[in-house]
Amino acid sequence: MTQQGVRWTADQVLALAPDAASRRAGGRLGTAGPWSEVGSSDEGAVWGLCKGSGSEPYQTVVDISGLSGPAYKCGCPSLKFPCKHALGLLLLWAGDDDVVAGAKAPDWAERWIAGRRERAEEKRTAGSTGSAAATADPEAARRRAEQRAGRITAGATELEQRLTDLLRGGLAGAEQTGYELWEETAARMVDAQASGLASRVRELGAIPSSGSGWPVRLLEECALLHLLDQGWLRREQLPDGLAATVRARVGLSTSADGPAIRDRWLVLSQYDTADTRLTTRRIWLYGAQTERAVLLLSYGAAGRAPEPALPVGLALDAEVSAYPGAGQQRAALGRQFAPPGPTELRPKGMTTSQAAVRYGEALRDDPWLESVPVTLDQVVPVPDGDHWQLADADGDTALPLAPAAGNRPGLWRLVALSGGAPVKVFGECGHRGFTPLTAWPAGPGPAVPLC
């Protein structure tokens, strides 16, 4: 497929899977056995018929030419995107040029591809029109913003009183009151339209049952919540950048108003987190020229994969615009000039001690920051008692892995990739440790997703 240059790797395909079960099921369908009438086009489409449990095979088609990542269509009843058949088809395409050869798309695939691209163009046009309409009445927008700010101030004031009562009565009482009090307080913050405060209150409620040393952790989180409260109540006295960070942390939505930065952006990682209400997708990009990492955040209803979907290890020629806030790494994906394609680009790395310093410096701009994006150069995964750490190959320092990272299959992929030799690892470095997300071998080789 000339538009895509080199076909994706199996790791890049499996990184698109919505969950581990889909990865396993898709892997089983990545062979020629269940497939017939497969083909691909130079315009960026792959299709095929997959034998399933019904009398008729499932019609499966994937459009990989989209600027925001691939799109999928399958006749199966699965509610997952991509489904196991789409993953299997992409694995088949990634693995064998002879099996998925160039061909003319059948009518059923061509109709969907043409319709999708037409709808995408209409959506872009409608988005431009909608943006203009949204700013048509700035006075009404100002009044709504003032009303919401008033509600958040009332909620922050109430929260300050509840924190004062907690500390006056002693932290030991938090274990006895149970989670209900915290959930009630969080609900009050939701009523105040302060979703950021609400989520932090819910985290407080879980700490007393988190094991040994919980009073220390509870006091630390109470202090950070108090700091955020005071930042909001005194936001007029803060520098503009820090004030914007406080607004974002309490839950006020903002727009990406930074200048558009065009670069060739390497997709460093993509992973989803989900709760009963929302699925959040985090995509880290690295600019070849700017040498900076930016974060794309997107959301979907529970059980639905958000967009875009960008395979790890590919690169896209695009513009991004930063969100306001001191030390803010979040950005919005803007105009894209070509679909994601293969690249040999790798991010610049640093030592483990430099990574720790970077996180400390970032906390000056955003005291509530959980982690920063970091690429470690020449590190080796080594056990440390019951845990693991990444040790500098040429030094005597190391970063511990975050506790959650030790329970993921990605850890063993990292260990296997290293085999005791130094590797390059991208991940998130924070107060809980380092969470590896992607790795590269010491020599030539594609990126290996670890999440």
Side-chain angles (χ1 to χ4, degrees), residues 81-102:
F81 295 93
C83 67
K84 62 182 181 181
H85 305 98
L87 290 170
L89 178 61
L90 285 176
L91 287 171
L92 191 65
W93 165 72
D96 196 330
D97 290 355
D98 295 331
V99 175
V100 187

Side-chain angles (χ1 to χ4, degrees), residues 103-126:
K104 183 180 184 303
D107 290 343
W108 57 268
E110 185 60 39
R111 285 194 300 270
W112 178 79
I113 295 168
R116 178 189 178 268
R117 292 173 182 174
E118 182 179 345
R119 289 189 297 273
E121 182 60 34
E122 291 174 352
K123 184 177 179 180
R124 284 191 290 270
T125 303

Side-chain angles (χ1 to χ4, degrees), residues 1-348:
M1 297 177 64
T2 57
Q3 180 169 350
Q4 296 300 316
V6 180
R7 300 193 184 205
W8 299 352
T9 66
D11 283 333
Q12 289 168 337
V13 172
L14 292 174
L16 298 171
D19 52 40
S22 297
R23 281 192 289 272
R24 290 192 296 269
R28 290 193 292 269
L29 292 174
T31 61
W35 293 95
S36 62
E37 299 183 29
V38 293
S40 61
S41 73
D42 290 345
E43 289 73 33
V46 188
W47 60 84
L49 302 178
C50 186
K51 181 175 176 56
S53 56
S55 58
E56 297 293 329
Y58 297 129
Q59 296 177 342
T60 308
V61 57
V62 181
D63 182 5
I64 53 179
S65 68
L67 296 178
S68 296
Y72 322 92
K73 171 68 174 178
C74 184
C76 75
S78 175
L79 297 179
K80 296 181 180 180
F81 295 93
C83 67
K84 62 182 181 181
H85 305 98
L87 290 170
L89 178 61
L90 285 176
L91 287 171
L92 191 65
W93 165 72
D96 196 330
D97 290 355
D98 295 331
V99 175
V100 187
K104 183 180 184 303
D107 290 343
W108 57 268
E110 185 60 39
R111 285 194 300 270
W112 178 79
I113 295 168
R116 178 189 178 268
R117 292 173 182 174
E118 182 179 345
R119 289 189 297 273
E121 182 60 34
E122 291 174 352
K123 184 177 179 180
R124 284 191 290 270
T125 303
S128 300
T129 305
S131 298
T135 58
D137 191 352
E139 180 59 26
R142 184 190 63 79
R143 289 196 299 269
R144 288 194 297 270
E146 287 182 350
Q147 292 170 357
R148 182 174 182 184
R151 287 191 286 269
I152 294 176
T153 296
T157 302
E158 178 182 343
L159 182 56
E160 280 292 280
Q161 185 59 53
R162 296 207 177 193
L163 290 175
T164 300
D165 293 342
L166 170 66
L167 297 177
R168 183 179 292 123
L171 294 180
E175 192 173 26
Q176 301 170 358
T177 56
Y179 190 75
E180 290 76 14
L181 176 62
W182 299 106
E183 184 59 36
E184 176 192 349
T185 305
R188 295 285 294 164
M189 297 305 103
V190 172
D191 292 341
Q193 294 186 286
S195 59
L197 295 179
S199 63
R200 285 185 170 271
V201 168
R202 290 193 177 97
E203 291 174 3
L204 289 183
I207 292 176
S209 60
S210 63
S212 176
W214 68 264
V216 174
R217 293 192 294 274
L218 181 60
L219 183 60
E220 291 172 346
E221 293 302 321
C222 283
L224 284 172
L225 186 53
H226 168 69
L227 182 65
L228 183 56
D229 259 353
Q230 289 298 313
W232 172 262
L233 296 174
R234 304 182 186 186
R235 61 192 181 280
E236 303 297 339
Q237 305 170 28
L238 299 178
D240 291 344
L242 184 56
T245 298
V246 168
R247 287 194 291 270
R249 289 295 182 185
V250 300
L252 278 177
S253 58
T254 56
S255 299
D257 58 3
I261 302 173
R262 182 176 179 179
D263 206 337
R264 185 160 177 79
W265 298 96
L266 170 66
V267 183
L268 290 173
S269 71
Q270 172 182 295
Y271 68 94
D272 296 348
T273 55
D275 55 30
T276 57
R277 295 165 293 178
L278 197 67
T279 298
T280 302
R281 172 162 293 170
R282 295 168 64 88
I283 300 177
W284 284 106
L285 304 178
Y286 173 82
Q289 296 179 350
T290 57
E291 297 183 357
R292 60 177 293 190
V294 298
L295 175 65
L296 306 182
L297 277 179
S298 56
Y299 304 93
R304 305 284 292 188
E307 292 184 350
L310 300 175
V312 174
L314 300 187
L316 62 157
D317 183 5
E319 294 177 342
V320 302
S321 298
Y323 279 78
Q328 180 67 259
Q329 284 135 356
R330 186 184 176 189
L333 187 61
R335 184 182 177 190
Q336 299 164 69
F337 303 93
T343 180
E344 297 182 358
L345 173 66
R346 294 185 180 187
K348 286 190 173 182

Side-chain angles (χ1 to χ4, degrees), residues 317-372:
D317 183 5
E319 294 177 342
V320 302
S321 298
Y323 279 78
Q328 180 67 259
Q329 284 135 356
R330 186 184 176 189
L333 187 61
R335 184 182 177 190
Q336 299 164 69
F337 303 93
T343 180
E344 297 182 358
L345 173 66
R346 294 185 180 187
K348 286 190 173 182
M350 63 181 65
T351 65
T352 57
S353 57
Q354 289 170 333
V357 170
R358 172 167 293 186
Y359 178 56
E361 292 174 342
L363 289 175
R364 293 181 304 187
D365 294 327
D366 185 352
W368 308 278
L369 191 63
E370 290 286 332
S371 60
V372 293

